[in-house]
Amino acid sequence: MTRLLILVFSLFLSGCAHVVTTGSATGQSLVIDRLLLPPFVNATDDEHASRAVTEMTGSALVQAGIPLYQTEELVLRTAADTAQGADGRYAEIARSVGASHLLIGTVHEYRYKTDLDGDPAVGITMRIVSASTGETVWQGTSGNVGYAFASLTSAGQKAVNRLVGEMPVTGNLLRKGFRLK
């Protein structure tokens, strides 16, 4: 009987998988005066994935206490209009509004899986880039698969919150060791 319960429990846990991988160029905490959040690149078949994950990320950054600069003009741009890197338009915009860093993101999975359960699956990558040098100072990838009656939004929020929580930014309230009230 005990073996059966262990088997059932382990099968249940395998349905709620998540993976987070991060790395920093310096290994030290970043001081960010203002972070520009342009729209994420959409590498999925879902035309709304970029907007959804960009907005979830904006919410998580505000919750984390990271100073965010985001305008409706930036939010409404499409992924086809993005130009990344030190010579990209977003780096120019970041410098013009006094942002010290940009958060560049890609949504690489945003769908309900095609298995029997149809669980939601979300995969994202984020890079913090110095606006002055174009250097990537931190990068992370997060994937989350929901289970049971989970939605794409809840799976996406978990993936985003885990990744924002890993950002080595001074004052990050979602970072491990900090507690929100």
Side-chain angles (χ1 to χ4, degrees):
M1 181 66 174
T2 303
R3 287 185 181 180
L4 180 61
L5 286 173
I6 291 172
L7 177 64
V8 168
F9 186 69
S10 64
L11 287 174
F12 175 73
L13 285 181
S14 67
C16 51
H18 70 274
V19 176
V20 177
T21 306
T22 64
S24 173
T26 64
Q28 297 179 1
S29 188
L30 301 170
V31 176
I32 294 182
D33 300 321
R34 188 181 237 185
L35 182 70
L36 179 73
L37 179 63
F40 281 21
V41 173
N42 189 0
T44 73
D45 293 333
D46 186 325
E47 65 186 73
H48 303 290
S50 171
R51 172 112 189 214
V53 175
T54 301
E55 292 198 13
M56 284 182 226
T57 303
S59 297
L61 291 167
V62 169
Q63 182 183 11
I66 297 172
L68 175 64
Y69 181 83
Q70 187 179 35
T71 65
E72 271 309 299
E73 179 187 357
L74 285 173
V75 170
L76 295 175
R77 290 196 199 282
T78 64
D81 192 31
T82 61
Q84 299 177 7
D87 296 327
R89 217 169 31 137
Y90 289 129
E92 289 176 24
I93 293 171
R95 289 188 295 271
S96 73
V97 299
S100 58
H101 294 82
L102 298 95
L103 181 63
I104 305 291
T106 301
V107 183
H108 44 85
E109 186 172 24
Y110 193 82
R111 65 186 175 93
Y112 287 96
K113 292 170 49 176
T114 57
D115 60 5
L116 292 175
D117 298 328
D119 295 329
V122 176
I124 54 175
T125 299
M126 295 181 194
R127 294 187 300 129
I128 297 177
V129 177
S130 168
S132 61
T133 66
E135 176 187 7
T136 297
V137 294
W138 176 86
Q139 183 161 336
T141 300
S142 179
N144 187 58
V145 177
Y147 63 96
F149 298 105
S151 67
L152 271 174
T153 300
S154 65
Q157 285 174 329
K158 287 177 183 175
V160 166
N161 286 340
R162 284 189 184 108
L163 205 47
V164 170
E166 292 290 328
M167 290 179 177
V169 176
T170 301
N172 183 348
L173 300 175
L174 294 180
R175 187 128 170 100
K176 292 177 185 172
F178 283 90
R179 281 272 196 224
L180 289 176
K181 293 183 180 182

